[in-house]
């Protein structure tokens, strides 16, 4: 008799559990933020105060150590925000600092190429530390609207002479070819080194080294290691403000560079970078 009851219980138990699971799946779930009025009020207030979901979730145990109801994960807050109608969020003055009201969809962009075997600025020739020896350059990209356009900026450290390199893309192959084309025709003594920002666009640094001059990479997040280039980039932005497209027309870019190089500089006793650069180029020719 026992065996019959046991068999019956084991045969009906899974069915009942399956029915309960299906019923639970069908009815709408309550978001964690809405489970407790106090928690909802706290989350509302902190979001209005500009707190991020991570800050709210991380701070709740400290602010309310004895109230287990005041616990929620940052992911639960994000899910609640994204599920709330935009009109409701606007009416209640609730918003993420990013301004997003939905998750970003679509496939992730392919990862940027890693820079293999980088040679950092620490290995740069000692005479590049100062500005007495010409031919040491600094470089970077100035990016246009939505990251779709760009121009490479090259600055010779001694003269502060600027070269704008037209680009049709930001990939390593395009940037490398552009830099080589813009500099390989210079005299050898004016191609001593190039210090570039540690960006993926210089993943082909070995090709640039072979085709023009040795490339050294500044340390990540260290713009002061390319101070001359950073200063000139600000001037370039006068012609290409942020949020605008940057042309790849060589003639127009040459005109912009010429305009900038013809500005007298106090550091050169009011001589122009174009004048200083010409003197440096001619100096080697006269001593040859």
């Amino acid at each position: 008799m026992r065996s019959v009851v046991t068999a019956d219980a084991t045969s009906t138990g899974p069915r009942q559990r399956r029915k309960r699971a299906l019923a639970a799946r069908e009815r709408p779930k309550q978001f964690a933020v809405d489970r407790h009025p106090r928690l909802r009020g706290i989350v509302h207030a902190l979001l209005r105060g500009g707190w991020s979901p991570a800050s709210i979730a991380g701070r709740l145990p400290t602010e309310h150590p004895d109230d287990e109801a005041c616990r929620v994960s940052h992911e639960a807050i994000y899910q609640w925000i994204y599920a709330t109608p935009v009109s409701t969020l606007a009416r209640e003055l609730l918003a993420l600092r990013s301004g997003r009201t939905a998750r970003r969809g679509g496939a992730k962009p392919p990862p940027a190429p890693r820079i293999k075997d980088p040679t950092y600025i620490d290995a740069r020739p000692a005479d590049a530390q100062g500005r007495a020896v010409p031919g040491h350059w600094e470089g970077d990209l100035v990016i246009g609207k939505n990251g779709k356009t760009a121009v490479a900026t090259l600055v010779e450290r001694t003269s502060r002479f600027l070269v704008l390199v037209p680009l049709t893309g930001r990939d390593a192959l395009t940037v490398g070819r552009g830099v080589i084309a813009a500099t390989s025709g210079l005299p050898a003594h004016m191609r001593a080194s190039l210090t570039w920002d540690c960006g993926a666009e210089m993943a082909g640094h070995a090709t640039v080294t072979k085709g023009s001059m040795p490339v050294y990479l500044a340390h990540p997040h260290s713009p002061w290691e390319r101070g001359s280039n950073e200063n000139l980039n600000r001037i370039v932005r006068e012609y290409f403000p942020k949020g605008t497209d940057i042309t790849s027309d060589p003639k127009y870019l040459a005109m912009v560079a010429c305009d900038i190089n013809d500005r007298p500089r106090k550091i050169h006793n009011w001589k122009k970078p174009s004048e200083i650069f010409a003197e440096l180029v001619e100096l080697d020719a006269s001593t040859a």
Side-chain angles (χ1 to χ4, degrees):
M1 202 58 165
R2 282 184 180 175
S3 61
V4 174
V5 173
T6 303
D8 183 67
T10 56
S11 62
T12 58
R15 293 198 195 102
Q16 293 174 349
R17 288 195 295 271
R18 179 175 174 78
K19 288 181 180 179
R20 288 195 296 269
L22 290 174
R25 187 182 302 172
E26 290 175 357
R27 66 172 181 265
K29 294 287 195 306
Q30 187 180 32
F31 288 98
V33 174
D34 292 326
R35 290 175 187 168
H36 301 283
R38 187 182 181 197
L39 175 61
R40 178 185 172 92
I42 293 172
V43 172
H44 274 227
L46 294 179
L47 283 173
R48 291 192 191 101
W51 286 43
S52 68
S55 298
I56 295 172
R59 188 67 182 178
L60 281 174
T62 301
E63 296 291 336
H64 308 278
D66 301 323
D67 191 349
E68 290 297 323
C70 290
R71 301 288 186 275
V72 67
S73 69
H74 70 280
E75 178 61 26
I77 298 176
Y78 277 115
Q79 291 178 354
W80 171 73
I81 290 174
Y82 294 146
T84 303
V86 175
S87 59
T88 302
L89 295 175
R91 184 173 62 252
E92 298 185 11
L93 303 178
L94 300 174
L96 296 173
R97 287 184 298 186
S98 64
R100 294 200 308 271
T101 57
R103 290 194 186 279
R104 291 173 178 165
K108 293 183 178 180
R114 292 186 176 181
I115 299 181
K116 295 182 179 179
D117 303 321
T119 303
Y120 286 105
I121 194 173
D122 312 83
R124 194 173 62 175
D127 58 18
Q129 301 299 327
R131 299 179 186 273
V133 177
H136 295 286
W137 297 75
E138 298 174 6
D140 192 14
L141 297 184
V142 172
I143 310 300
K145 183 179 180 181
N146 298 325
K148 295 182 179 180
T149 57
V151 62
T153 59
L154 305 175
V155 182
E156 200 277 321
R157 283 173 53 83
T158 300
S159 62
R160 276 74 166 186
F161 184 83
L162 171 68
V163 174
L164 293 179
V165 182
L167 299 174
T168 56
R170 293 172 52 191
D171 58 283
L173 181 61
T174 300
V175 173
R177 286 177 174 175
V179 171
I180 291 174
T183 60
S184 59
L186 292 170
H189 78 286
M190 296 301 292
R191 291 182 284 114
S193 74
L194 170 61
T195 301
W196 195 273
D197 177 61
C198 192
E201 70 276 0
M202 195 44 71
H205 62 90
T207 301
V208 178
T209 296
K210 183 177 180 180
S212 179
M213 70 183 89
V215 177
Y216 301 90
L217 299 177
H219 296 101
H221 313 296
S222 304
W224 57 87
E225 294 181 344
R226 300 175 299 98
S228 296
N229 185 237
E230 288 290 312
N231 289 334
L232 263 296
N233 284 350
R234 295 188 185 97
I235 299 177
V236 172
R237 279 295 185 192
E238 296 175 9
Y239 298 83
F240 305 106
K242 290 185 178 181
T244 61
D245 290 323
I246 298 178
T247 181
S248 59
D249 180 8
K251 292 183 179 179
Y252 183 81
L253 292 176
M255 181 185 69
V256 171
C258 182
D259 192 25
I260 294 174
N261 289 327
D262 278 346
R263 296 184 183 186
R265 305 291 175 83
K266 181 178 180 180
I267 197 168
H268 293 322
N269 197 24
W270 303 115
K271 294 185 70 173
K272 301 175 180 179
S274 57
E275 295 171 337
I276 301 294
F277 188 79
E279 291 173 0
L280 296 176
V281 173
E282 292 173 1
L283 179 63
D284 184 76
S286 64
T287 57

